[in-house]
Amino acid sequence: MQTYDLEADGLRGLNAALHAQTNQTRWEIINPKGSHAIAVGLDAPIDVTVKGSTGYYCAGMNQQATVRVEGSVGPGVAENMMSGEVIVEGDASQYAGATGHGGLLVIKGNASSRCGISMKGIDIVVHGNIGHMSAFMAQAGTLVVCGDAGDALGDSLYEARLFVRGSVKSLGADCVEKEMRPEHLALLETLLERAGADAKAEEFTRYGSARKLYNFDVDTSAAY
Amino acid sequence: MTQTDDTTPRTVPIQSETFSNAVNAEIRRAAETGIYDIRGGGAKRRVPHFDDLLFLGASVSRYPLEGYRERCETSVTLGGRFAQKPIELDIPITIAGMSFGALSGPAKEALGRGASAAGTSTTTGDGGMTPEEREHSDKLVYQYLPSRYGMNPNDLRKADAIEIVVGQGAKPGGGGMLLGQKISDRVAEMRTLPKGIDQRSACRHPDWTGPDDLEIKILELREITGWQVPIYVKVGATRPYYDTALAVKAGADVVVMDGMQGGTAATQDVFIENVGIPTLACIRPAVQALQDLGVHREVQLVISGGIRNGADVAKAMALGADAVAIGTAALIALGDNDPKWEAEYQKLGTTAGAYDDWHAGNDPAGITTQDPALAARLDPVDAGRRLRNYLKVMTLEAQTIARACGHNHLHNLEPEDLCALTMEAAAMARVPLAGTDWYPGKPGF
Ligand SMILES: Cc1cc2nc3c(=O)[nH]c(=O)nc-3n(C[C@H](O)[C@H](O)[C@H](O)COP(=O)(O)O)c2cc1C
């Protein structure tokens, strides 16, 4: 285990060290103090623990690595993640997991607005609640919310799958409640287990795209 | 009008300027279909442009350089402000970002071949980087767009520069559109969307808003790419002074400013024609912002939107740009709108030169299409050769003008080399009306 003091040694040194292909596979970052762009662009099966809260884009574009934040994260955690795992022990600000293509993002607290915006294949599990406009234009992947969802969930949704256990304040344009089939229950169970969430798949409701806005039609133009 | 007998003088039928044939046809089309007109290309209306400027040339007070004897350099370096590996180009004319999806694979390859042979860069577009264009482009700029279609860190790391696209001149404030008929299997897969659906690209970035966020986004991209490659910020021309200043403040190495004549693959006609300001109008304010911040030439300014020839290049540079980018003109060099396809243009209800259904996917020239049979009409080697020739000619033309003005490098061209033919152009370019020493807004008058 290698410890890196972010306050003392700086951001450039941190990311350069994490990008360097070395034998060191376990890292601990101390004194993050809300800094931005911590552990971004990783592309190796390494394990990174951040001891405290971070600013914007923590673990952005992650590939292969496991990044655990023992605190809360600012906007855009794990944005455009491709693979690997990012676990946030606290809360997440806006755009958590934005445009992510793959991997698993777990938020043990709540996530703010636009969680999973434009997601393209990432799996996101939020133990708490999520804010408004989450999964906006979400294309692919799965968003699981163990608590409640805010306004306009899944607005202009494409093919991403949304599962919410609690209430949904309102659904966005073209997002509808859908039937929960066995394959969805199976998928949900796996994700809940991987995310360490104490919830049962049967308690969730599935939402998805009505696919009515896929091709322009003047009679639905008010929805745009 | 009362008809009396044949010899009575009559009024002739007068078409309304306001309700012209084109306007009326559009009203009928809208009434029939219920959808706005979508098309490719840039603003077609006449706006003040580089044609409204002239070079003064050498005279008694300035002497010219000898055309075939004295060198006039053309190289430019983009991105030296923060990047460890700035982009070094032989000529200040780059190829603008045009998406795979909008353009065929062979067309992207041809752009790469032509640009590389001429010693300049090309740019990806909405939809990501294709292996063909990476392979055939010596210098490839990777666009980072609001849609993030096909965006992945492996390609980001393969790029020679990154261009954060805030907007485009054809549609400042608008997102993209790729209609279902152009979504082939490959395009759909690159964008992670079902085949055959209309693909809307977002108009705002999903994970940042405003200049303070942009600064942090730039930091993230630099950290991911190890501060190696330049970061450009591209904006559609609307508020050029403030957008340039904010891009600089956010940490951009290069600002790309695209005027309203700038092409697009598919946008609402009403947007193209009515939003944004002319290319000519955006250069001086952008340069002013760079000068006020003390970074003119340290942060480079790339201008695009309606650049067609070496005179346009020279004029943009004389007004303070470091380089230009071309989209439409490059497509025409490849073979777009060539009269040799006239019979097919006629079948599509148009004519060579006016064809702008670049969104429709049935381009007779095989450039703005994903149809394999049509795409096969474009030979990327031959089209690349034409683009190279065209880029060389533009460069020679710009050099000719620069020498006539007494400059041994294109970047030594200056506003004092120019005058304007119209009041509008004089006001926008802040150069005197021809034969006077005055322009509207000149201090002291
Ligand atoms: C077919 C086509 C596709 C384009 N695609 C993009 C794009 O994906 N991203 C972008 O920033 N600009 C795009 N543009 C705009 C160009 O990058 C550039 O701003 C414009 O073409 C410059 O003006 P010009 O066409 O008059 O040279 C596209 C333009 C065309 C003609």
Side-chain angles (χ1 to χ4, degrees), chain A residues 12 15 56-57 63 79-80 95 101 120 139 214-216 218, chain B residues 34-35 147-148 151 154 157 191-192 198 206-207 213 220 223:
Chain A
R12 185 76 286 267
N15 285 317
Y56 281 56
Y57 310 130
Q63 290 167 286
E79 66 86 15
N80 216 88
Y95 340 119
H101 285 70
K120 302 176 199 308
Q139 295 171 222
Y214 276 14
N215 291 91
F216 185 87
V218 67
Chain B
I35 184 169
S147 73
R148 309 278 166 87
M151 159 62 219
N154 296 335
R157 285 186 280 257
R191 298 179 182 222
T192 331
D198 296 346
D207 58 357
D213 284 7
E220 183 204 11
E223 282 294 321

PDB file of all heavy atoms in Angstrom, chain A residues 12 15 56-57 63 79-80 95 101 120 139 214-216 218, chain B residues 34-35 147-148 151 154 157 191-192 198 206-207 213 220 223:
ATOM      1  N   ARG A  12      -0.778  16.826  -9.917  1.00  0.00           N
ATOM      2  CA  ARG A  12      -0.079  16.304 -11.093  1.00  0.00           C
ATOM      3  C   ARG A  12       0.730  15.065 -10.725  1.00  0.00           C
ATOM      4  O   ARG A  12       0.723  14.055 -11.428  1.00  0.00           O
ATOM      5  CB  ARG A  12       0.829  17.398 -11.694  1.00  0.00           C
ATOM      6  CG  ARG A  12       1.524  17.029 -12.993  1.00  0.00           C
ATOM      7  CD  ARG A  12       0.560  17.074 -14.188  1.00  0.00           C
ATOM      8  NE  ARG A  12      -0.371  15.951 -14.235  1.00  0.00           N
ATOM      9  CZ  ARG A  12      -0.182  14.816 -14.906  1.00  0.00           C
ATOM     10  NH1 ARG A  12       0.910  14.669 -15.603  1.00  0.00           N
ATOM     11  NH2 ARG A  12      -1.086  13.854 -14.893  1.00  0.00           N
ATOM     12  N   ASN A  15      -1.777  11.980 -10.233  1.00  0.00           N
ATOM     13  CA  ASN A  15      -2.286  11.313 -11.433  1.00  0.00           C
ATOM     14  C   ASN A  15      -1.163  10.693 -12.244  1.00  0.00           C
ATOM     15  O   ASN A  15      -1.320   9.613 -12.813  1.00  0.00           O
ATOM     16  CB  ASN A  15      -3.131  12.287 -12.266  1.00  0.00           C
ATOM     17  CG  ASN A  15      -4.500  12.525 -11.627  1.00  0.00           C
ATOM     18  OD1 ASN A  15      -5.145  11.579 -11.153  1.00  0.00           O
ATOM     19  ND2 ASN A  15      -4.940  13.769 -11.583  1.00  0.00           N
ATOM     20  N   TYR A  56     -14.752  18.081  -8.164  1.00  0.00           N
ATOM     21  CA  TYR A  56     -15.324  17.629  -9.440  1.00  0.00           C
ATOM     22  C   TYR A  56     -14.557  16.438 -10.012  1.00  0.00           C
ATOM     23  O   TYR A  56     -13.346  16.302  -9.845  1.00  0.00           O
ATOM     24  CB  TYR A  56     -15.211  18.739 -10.481  1.00  0.00           C
ATOM     25  CG  TYR A  56     -16.222  19.857 -10.401  1.00  0.00           C
ATOM     26  CD1 TYR A  56     -16.399  20.611  -9.256  1.00  0.00           C
ATOM     27  CD2 TYR A  56     -16.974  20.187 -11.522  1.00  0.00           C
ATOM     28  CE1 TYR A  56     -17.301  21.666  -9.225  1.00  0.00           C
ATOM     29  CE2 TYR A  56     -17.881  21.242 -11.500  1.00  0.00           C
ATOM     30  CZ  TYR A  56     -18.034  21.974 -10.342  1.00  0.00           C
ATOM     31  OH  TYR A  56     -18.925  23.018 -10.323  1.00  0.00           O
ATOM     32  N   TYR A  57     -15.291  15.616 -10.756  1.00  0.00           N
ATOM     33  CA  TYR A  57     -14.739  14.615 -11.680  1.00  0.00           C
ATOM     34  C   TYR A  57     -13.806  13.594 -11.050  1.00  0.00           C
ATOM     35  O   TYR A  57     -12.873  13.112 -11.700  1.00  0.00           O
ATOM     36  CB  TYR A  57     -14.002  15.288 -12.861  1.00  0.00           C
ATOM     37  CG  TYR A  57     -14.823  16.360 -13.538  1.00  0.00           C
ATOM     38  CD1 TYR A  57     -14.313  17.627 -13.795  1.00  0.00           C
ATOM     39  CD2 TYR A  57     -16.143  16.109 -13.915  1.00  0.00           C
ATOM     40  CE1 TYR A  57     -15.078  18.615 -14.399  1.00  0.00           C
ATOM     41  CE2 TYR A  57     -16.920  17.097 -14.522  1.00  0.00           C
ATOM     42  CZ  TYR A  57     -16.378  18.347 -14.756  1.00  0.00           C
ATOM     43  OH  TYR A  57     -17.129  19.326 -15.350  1.00  0.00           O
ATOM     44  N   GLN A  63     -11.001   3.369 -16.121  1.00  0.00           N
ATOM     45  CA  GLN A  63     -10.959   2.064 -16.774  1.00  0.00           C
ATOM     46  C   GLN A  63     -10.260   1.100 -15.824  1.00  0.00           C
ATOM     47  O   GLN A  63      -9.179   1.400 -15.321  1.00  0.00           O
ATOM     48  CB  GLN A  63     -10.159   2.140 -18.089  1.00  0.00           C
ATOM     49  CG  GLN A  63     -10.866   2.929 -19.184  1.00  0.00           C
ATOM     50  CD  GLN A  63      -9.933   3.252 -20.349  1.00  0.00           C
ATOM     51  OE1 GLN A  63      -9.067   4.108 -20.220  1.00  0.00           O
ATOM     52  NE2 GLN A  63     -10.093   2.580 -21.465  1.00  0.00           N
ATOM     53  N   GLU A  79     -17.388  10.343 -14.293  1.00  0.00           N
ATOM     54  CA  GLU A  79     -17.980  10.719 -15.584  1.00  0.00           C
ATOM     55  C   GLU A  79     -17.286   9.924 -16.689  1.00  0.00           C
ATOM     56  O   GLU A  79     -16.092   9.689 -16.639  1.00  0.00           O
ATOM     57  CB  GLU A  79     -17.901  12.232 -15.798  1.00  0.00           C
ATOM     58  CG  GLU A  79     -16.513  12.831 -15.949  1.00  0.00           C
ATOM     59  CD  GLU A  79     -15.993  12.800 -17.381  1.00  0.00           C
ATOM     60  OE1 GLU A  79     -16.792  12.572 -18.293  1.00  0.00           O
ATOM     61  OE2 GLU A  79     -14.783  12.982 -17.544  1.00  0.00           O
ATOM     62  N   ASN A  80     -18.077   9.503 -17.654  1.00  0.00           N
ATOM     63  CA  ASN A  80     -17.577   8.722 -18.788  1.00  0.00           C
ATOM     64  C   ASN A  80     -16.741   7.491 -18.390  1.00  0.00           C
ATOM     65  O   ASN A  80     -15.832   7.064 -19.099  1.00  0.00           O
ATOM     66  CB  ASN A  80     -16.778   9.606 -19.752  1.00  0.00           C
ATOM     67  CG  ASN A  80     -16.974   9.195 -21.198  1.00  0.00           C
ATOM     68  OD1 ASN A  80     -17.890   9.662 -21.861  1.00  0.00           O
ATOM     69  ND2 ASN A  80     -16.173   8.269 -21.675  1.00  0.00           N
ATOM     70  N   TYR A  95     -24.608  15.241 -11.743  1.00  0.00           N
ATOM     71  CA  TYR A  95     -24.052  14.497 -12.887  1.00  0.00           C
ATOM     72  C   TYR A  95     -23.228  13.263 -12.498  1.00  0.00           C
ATOM     73  O   TYR A  95     -22.264  12.926 -13.200  1.00  0.00           O
ATOM     74  CB  TYR A  95     -23.151  15.349 -13.790  1.00  0.00           C
ATOM     75  CG  TYR A  95     -23.260  16.849 -13.739  1.00  0.00           C
ATOM     76  CD1 TYR A  95     -22.159  17.631 -13.363  1.00  0.00           C
ATOM     77  CD2 TYR A  95     -24.428  17.504 -14.121  1.00  0.00           C
ATOM     78  CE1 TYR A  95     -22.230  19.016 -13.355  1.00  0.00           C
ATOM     79  CE2 TYR A  95     -24.502  18.895 -14.108  1.00  0.00           C
ATOM     80  CZ  TYR A  95     -23.400  19.642 -13.723  1.00  0.00           C
ATOM     81  OH  TYR A  95     -23.451  21.000 -13.717  1.00  0.00           O
ATOM     82  N   HIS A 101     -19.791   4.679 -19.910  1.00  0.00           N
ATOM     83  CA  HIS A 101     -19.995   3.588 -20.877  1.00  0.00           C
ATOM     84  C   HIS A 101     -20.018   2.210 -20.235  1.00  0.00           C
ATOM     85  O   HIS A 101     -20.463   1.238 -20.837  1.00  0.00           O
ATOM     86  CB  HIS A 101     -18.880   3.598 -21.919  1.00  0.00           C
ATOM     87  CG  HIS A 101     -19.000   4.683 -22.923  1.00  0.00           C
ATOM     88  ND1 HIS A 101     -18.810   6.004 -22.612  1.00  0.00           N
ATOM     89  CD2 HIS A 101     -19.303   4.657 -24.236  1.00  0.00           C
ATOM     90  CE1 HIS A 101     -18.990   6.735 -23.703  1.00  0.00           C
ATOM     91  NE2 HIS A 101     -19.284   5.943 -24.691  1.00  0.00           N
ATOM     92  N   LYS A 120     -24.291   5.668 -21.036  1.00  0.00           N
ATOM     93  CA  LYS A 120     -24.160   4.878 -22.253  1.00  0.00           C
ATOM     94  C   LYS A 120     -23.733   3.444 -21.958  1.00  0.00           C
ATOM     95  O   LYS A 120     -22.953   2.865 -22.713  1.00  0.00           O
ATOM     96  CB  LYS A 120     -23.140   5.544 -23.184  1.00  0.00           C
ATOM     97  CG  LYS A 120     -23.495   6.983 -23.571  1.00  0.00           C
ATOM     98  CD  LYS A 120     -22.394   7.588 -24.418  1.00  0.00           C
ATOM     99  CE  LYS A 120     -22.424   9.090 -24.477  1.00  0.00           C
ATOM    100  NZ  LYS A 120     -23.651   9.743 -24.835  1.00  0.00           N
ATOM    101  N   GLN A 139     -28.853   6.536 -22.513  1.00  0.00           N
ATOM    102  CA  GLN A 139     -28.877   5.695 -23.701  1.00  0.00           C
ATOM    103  C   GLN A 139     -28.838   4.196 -23.397  1.00  0.00           C
ATOM    104  O   GLN A 139     -29.484   3.407 -24.060  1.00  0.00           O
ATOM    105  CB  GLN A 139     -27.679   6.046 -24.593  1.00  0.00           C
ATOM    106  CG  GLN A 139     -27.751   7.447 -25.146  1.00  0.00           C
ATOM    107  CD  GLN A 139     -26.475   7.866 -25.844  1.00  0.00           C
ATOM    108  OE1 GLN A 139     -26.024   8.976 -25.675  1.00  0.00           O
ATOM    109  NE2 GLN A 139     -25.865   6.976 -26.620  1.00  0.00           N
ATOM    110  N   TYR A 214     -38.629   8.720 -30.686  1.00  0.00           N
ATOM    111  CA  TYR A 214     -37.445   8.250 -31.413  1.00  0.00           C
ATOM    112  C   TYR A 214     -37.347   8.827 -32.815  1.00  0.00           C
ATOM    113  O   TYR A 214     -36.255   9.024 -33.331  1.00  0.00           O
ATOM    114  CB  TYR A 214     -37.436   6.722 -31.464  1.00  0.00           C
ATOM    115  CG  TYR A 214     -36.839   6.095 -30.220  1.00  0.00           C
ATOM    116  CD1 TYR A 214     -36.641   6.837 -29.075  1.00  0.00           C
ATOM    117  CD2 TYR A 214     -36.460   4.758 -30.217  1.00  0.00           C
ATOM    118  CE1 TYR A 214     -36.087   6.272 -27.945  1.00  0.00           C
ATOM    119  CE2 TYR A 214     -35.901   4.182 -29.091  1.00  0.00           C
ATOM    120  CZ  TYR A 214     -35.713   4.938 -27.958  1.00  0.00           C
ATOM    121  OH  TYR A 214     -35.155   4.368 -26.851  1.00  0.00           O
ATOM    122  N   ASN A 215     -38.502   9.035 -33.457  1.00  0.00           N
ATOM    123  CA  ASN A 215     -38.482   9.672 -34.762  1.00  0.00           C
ATOM    124  C   ASN A 215     -39.455  10.839 -34.724  1.00  0.00           C
ATOM    125  O   ASN A 215     -40.547  10.712 -34.176  1.00  0.00           O
ATOM    126  CB  ASN A 215     -38.851   8.675 -35.862  1.00  0.00           C
ATOM    127  CG  ASN A 215     -37.767   7.627 -36.036  1.00  0.00           C
ATOM    128  OD1 ASN A 215     -37.812   6.571 -35.407  1.00  0.00           O
ATOM    129  ND2 ASN A 215     -36.758   7.921 -36.823  1.00  0.00           N
ATOM    130  N   PHE A 216     -39.032  11.963 -35.281  1.00  0.00           N
ATOM    131  CA  PHE A 216     -39.816  13.178 -35.129  1.00  0.00           C
ATOM    132  C   PHE A 216     -41.212  13.013 -35.712  1.00  0.00           C
ATOM    133  O   PHE A 216     -41.407  12.493 -36.791  1.00  0.00           O
ATOM    134  CB  PHE A 216     -39.129  14.365 -35.811  1.00  0.00           C
ATOM    135  CG  PHE A 216     -39.857  15.644 -35.560  1.00  0.00           C
ATOM    136  CD1 PHE A 216     -39.583  16.391 -34.433  1.00  0.00           C
ATOM    137  CD2 PHE A 216     -40.855  16.079 -36.420  1.00  0.00           C
ATOM    138  CE1 PHE A 216     -40.276  17.557 -34.177  1.00  0.00           C
ATOM    139  CE2 PHE A 216     -41.554  17.245 -36.174  1.00  0.00           C
ATOM    140  CZ  PHE A 216     -41.261  17.979 -35.048  1.00  0.00           C
ATOM    141  N   VAL A 218     -44.861  15.455 -35.809  1.00  0.00           N
ATOM    142  CA  VAL A 218     -45.424  16.759 -35.447  1.00  0.00           C
ATOM    143  C   VAL A 218     -46.458  16.640 -34.320  1.00  0.00           C
ATOM    144  O   VAL A 218     -46.626  17.545 -33.513  1.00  0.00           O
ATOM    145  CB  VAL A 218     -46.021  17.468 -36.684  1.00  0.00           C
ATOM    146  CG1 VAL A 218     -47.239  16.735 -37.205  1.00  0.00           C
ATOM    147  CG2 VAL A 218     -46.388  18.908 -36.349  1.00  0.00           C
TER     148      VAL A 218
ATOM    149  N   GLY B  34     -45.697  19.694 -41.591  1.00  0.00           N
ATOM    150  CA  GLY B  34     -45.722  19.881 -40.139  1.00  0.00           C
ATOM    151  C   GLY B  34     -44.358  19.759 -39.487  1.00  0.00           C
ATOM    152  O   GLY B  34     -44.262  19.549 -38.280  1.00  0.00           O
ATOM    153  N   ILE B  35     -43.300  19.877 -40.248  1.00  0.00           N
ATOM    154  CA  ILE B  35     -41.963  19.826 -39.641  1.00  0.00           C
ATOM    155  C   ILE B  35     -41.092  20.926 -40.251  1.00  0.00           C
ATOM    156  O   ILE B  35     -41.241  21.256 -41.430  1.00  0.00           O
ATOM    157  CB  ILE B  35     -41.304  18.434 -39.818  1.00  0.00           C
ATOM    158  CG1 ILE B  35     -39.958  18.390 -39.093  1.00  0.00           C
ATOM    159  CG2 ILE B  35     -41.169  18.047 -41.270  1.00  0.00           C
ATOM    160  CD1 ILE B  35     -39.361  17.008 -38.991  1.00  0.00           C
ATOM    161  N   SER B 147     -22.717  15.682 -26.685  1.00  0.00           N
ATOM    162  CA  SER B 147     -23.348  14.351 -26.772  1.00  0.00           C
ATOM    163  C   SER B 147     -22.447  13.260 -26.205  1.00  0.00           C
ATOM    164  O   SER B 147     -22.925  12.223 -25.771  1.00  0.00           O
ATOM    165  CB  SER B 147     -23.641  14.000 -28.228  1.00  0.00           C
ATOM    166  OG  SER B 147     -22.424  13.705 -28.888  1.00  0.00           O
ATOM    167  N   ARG B 148     -21.135  13.482 -26.304  1.00  0.00           N
ATOM    168  CA  ARG B 148     -20.122  12.474 -25.915  1.00  0.00           C
ATOM    169  C   ARG B 148     -20.358  11.149 -26.632  1.00  0.00           C
ATOM    170  O   ARG B 148     -19.953  10.091 -26.136  1.00  0.00           O
ATOM    171  CB  ARG B 148     -20.108  12.242 -24.400  1.00  0.00           C
ATOM    172  CG  ARG B 148     -20.017  13.513 -23.576  1.00  0.00           C
ATOM    173  CD  ARG B 148     -18.606  14.027 -23.434  1.00  0.00           C
ATOM    174  NE  ARG B 148     -18.608  15.399 -22.941  1.00  0.00           N
ATOM    175  CZ  ARG B 148     -18.638  15.741 -21.652  1.00  0.00           C
ATOM    176  NH1 ARG B 148     -18.642  14.802 -20.725  1.00  0.00           N
ATOM    177  NH2 ARG B 148     -18.650  16.996 -21.304  1.00  0.00           N
ATOM    178  N   MET B 151     -17.341   8.852 -27.209  1.00  0.00           N
ATOM    179  CA  MET B 151     -16.225   9.431 -26.451  1.00  0.00           C
ATOM    180  C   MET B 151     -15.581   8.359 -25.574  1.00  0.00           C
ATOM    181  O   MET B 151     -16.265   7.740 -24.759  1.00  0.00           O
ATOM    182  CB  MET B 151     -16.801  10.575 -25.595  1.00  0.00           C
ATOM    183  CG  MET B 151     -15.978  10.996 -24.400  1.00  0.00           C
ATOM    184  SD  MET B 151     -14.387  11.612 -24.869  1.00  0.00           S
ATOM    185  CE  MET B 151     -13.413  10.901 -23.552  1.00  0.00           C
ATOM    186  N   ASN B 154      -9.453   6.054 -24.486  1.00  0.00           N
ATOM    187  CA  ASN B 154      -8.385   5.514 -25.342  1.00  0.00           C
ATOM    188  C   ASN B 154      -8.179   6.412 -26.557  1.00  0.00           C
ATOM    189  O   ASN B 154      -7.043   6.708 -26.947  1.00  0.00           O
ATOM    190  CB  ASN B 154      -8.735   4.094 -25.812  1.00  0.00           C
ATOM    191  CG  ASN B 154      -8.824   3.126 -24.648  1.00  0.00           C
ATOM    192  OD1 ASN B 154      -8.211   3.361 -23.605  1.00  0.00           O
ATOM    193  ND2 ASN B 154      -9.591   2.063 -24.806  1.00  0.00           N
ATOM    194  N   ARG B 157      -6.571   9.719 -25.639  1.00  0.00           N
ATOM    195  CA  ARG B 157      -5.110   9.632 -25.492  1.00  0.00           C
ATOM    196  C   ARG B 157      -4.399   9.497 -26.835  1.00  0.00           C
ATOM    197  O   ARG B 157      -3.199   9.731 -26.926  1.00  0.00           O
ATOM    198  CB  ARG B 157      -4.743   8.479 -24.557  1.00  0.00           C
ATOM    199  CG  ARG B 157      -5.021   8.797 -23.080  1.00  0.00           C
ATOM    200  CD  ARG B 157      -4.529   7.708 -22.141  1.00  0.00           C
ATOM    201  NE  ARG B 157      -5.454   6.599 -22.079  1.00  0.00           N
ATOM    202  CZ  ARG B 157      -6.297   6.382 -21.062  1.00  0.00           C
ATOM    203  NH1 ARG B 157      -6.322   7.171 -20.019  1.00  0.00           N
ATOM    204  NH2 ARG B 157      -7.116   5.356 -21.088  1.00  0.00           N
ATOM    205  N   ARG B 191     -22.324   5.141 -31.398  1.00  0.00           N
ATOM    206  CA  ARG B 191     -23.042   6.119 -30.562  1.00  0.00           C
ATOM    207  C   ARG B 191     -23.888   5.464 -29.473  1.00  0.00           C
ATOM    208  O   ARG B 191     -24.613   6.156 -28.760  1.00  0.00           O
ATOM    209  CB  ARG B 191     -23.934   6.986 -31.460  1.00  0.00           C
ATOM    210  CG  ARG B 191     -23.125   7.786 -32.458  1.00  0.00           C
ATOM    211  CD  ARG B 191     -24.013   8.625 -33.360  1.00  0.00           C
ATOM    212  NE  ARG B 191     -23.200   9.337 -34.341  1.00  0.00           N
ATOM    213  CZ  ARG B 191     -23.372  10.598 -34.717  1.00  0.00           C
ATOM    214  NH1 ARG B 191     -24.347  11.300 -34.218  1.00  0.00           N
ATOM    215  NH2 ARG B 191     -22.587  11.161 -35.603  1.00  0.00           N
ATOM    216  N   THR B 192     -23.849   4.136 -29.375  1.00  0.00           N
ATOM    217  CA  THR B 192     -24.636   3.398 -28.379  1.00  0.00           C
ATOM    218  C   THR B 192     -26.117   3.750 -28.460  1.00  0.00           C
ATOM    219  O   THR B 192     -26.766   4.047 -27.459  1.00  0.00           O
ATOM    220  CB  THR B 192     -24.140   3.673 -26.939  1.00  0.00           C
ATOM    221  OG1 THR B 192     -22.752   3.984 -26.965  1.00  0.00           O
ATOM    222  CG2 THR B 192     -24.356   2.462 -26.037  1.00  0.00           C
ATOM    223  N   ASP B 198     -33.872   8.872 -34.912  1.00  0.00           N
ATOM    224  CA  ASP B 198     -33.258  10.197 -35.033  1.00  0.00           C
ATOM    225  C   ASP B 198     -32.352  10.407 -33.832  1.00  0.00           C
ATOM    226  O   ASP B 198     -32.786  10.255 -32.697  1.00  0.00           O
ATOM    227  CB  ASP B 198     -34.324  11.303 -35.023  1.00  0.00           C
ATOM    228  CG  ASP B 198     -35.247  11.218 -36.224  1.00  0.00           C
ATOM    229  OD1 ASP B 198     -34.910  10.490 -37.172  1.00  0.00           O
ATOM    230  OD2 ASP B 198     -36.299  11.872 -36.192  1.00  0.00           O
ATOM    231  N   PRO B 206     -23.064  17.637 -20.557  1.00  0.00           N
ATOM    232  CA  PRO B 206     -23.811  17.016 -19.475  1.00  0.00           C
ATOM    233  C   PRO B 206     -23.211  17.227 -18.097  1.00  0.00           C
ATOM    234  O   PRO B 206     -23.903  17.088 -17.100  1.00  0.00           O
ATOM    235  CB  PRO B 206     -23.771  15.521 -19.837  1.00  0.00           C
ATOM    236  CG  PRO B 206     -22.534  15.365 -20.659  1.00  0.00           C
ATOM    237  CD  PRO B 206     -22.381  16.652 -21.410  1.00  0.00           C
ATOM    238  N   ASP B 207     -21.927  17.562 -18.026  1.00  0.00           N
ATOM    239  CA  ASP B 207     -21.292  17.605 -16.711  1.00  0.00           C
ATOM    240  C   ASP B 207     -20.552  18.896 -16.429  1.00  0.00           C
ATOM    241  O   ASP B 207     -19.679  18.941 -15.571  1.00  0.00           O
ATOM    242  CB  ASP B 207     -20.364  16.392 -16.521  1.00  0.00           C
ATOM    243  CG  ASP B 207     -19.302  16.321 -17.584  1.00  0.00           C
ATOM    244  OD1 ASP B 207     -19.313  17.167 -18.494  1.00  0.00           O
ATOM    245  OD2 ASP B 207     -18.448  15.422 -17.516  1.00  0.00           O
ATOM    246  N   ASP B 213     -16.936  26.015 -14.290  1.00  0.00           N
ATOM    247  CA  ASP B 213     -16.901  24.561 -14.491  1.00  0.00           C
ATOM    248  C   ASP B 213     -15.947  24.198 -15.625  1.00  0.00           C
ATOM    249  O   ASP B 213     -15.220  23.205 -15.555  1.00  0.00           O
ATOM    250  CB  ASP B 213     -18.280  24.028 -14.866  1.00  0.00           C
ATOM    251  CG  ASP B 213     -19.232  23.937 -13.678  1.00  0.00           C
ATOM    252  OD1 ASP B 213     -18.866  24.404 -12.591  1.00  0.00           O
ATOM    253  OD2 ASP B 213     -20.342  23.404 -13.859  1.00  0.00           O
ATOM    254  N   GLU B 220      -9.363  18.516 -15.777  1.00  0.00           N
ATOM    255  CA  GLU B 220      -9.523  17.059 -15.810  1.00  0.00           C
ATOM    256  C   GLU B 220      -8.928  16.471 -17.094  1.00  0.00           C
ATOM    257  O   GLU B 220      -8.180  15.485 -17.052  1.00  0.00           O
ATOM    258  CB  GLU B 220     -11.011  16.685 -15.716  1.00  0.00           C
ATOM    259  CG  GLU B 220     -11.224  15.172 -15.679  1.00  0.00           C
ATOM    260  CD  GLU B 220     -12.601  14.719 -16.156  1.00  0.00           C
ATOM    261  OE1 GLU B 220     -13.353  15.540 -16.717  1.00  0.00           O
ATOM    262  OE2 GLU B 220     -12.910  13.526 -15.984  1.00  0.00           O
ATOM    263  N   GLU B 223      -5.222  16.508 -16.940  1.00  0.00           N
ATOM    264  CA  GLU B 223      -4.688  15.485 -16.027  1.00  0.00           C
ATOM    265  C   GLU B 223      -4.761  14.105 -16.688  1.00  0.00           C
ATOM    266  O   GLU B 223      -3.846  13.296 -16.539  1.00  0.00           O
ATOM    267  CB  GLU B 223      -5.466  15.500 -14.713  1.00  0.00           C
ATOM    268  CG  GLU B 223      -5.070  16.642 -13.782  1.00  0.00           C
ATOM    269  CD  GLU B 223      -3.629  16.502 -13.285  1.00  0.00           C
ATOM    270  OE1 GLU B 223      -3.190  15.379 -12.999  1.00  0.00           O
ATOM    271  OE2 GLU B 223      -2.925  17.525 -13.194  1.00  0.00           O
TER     272      GLU B 223
END
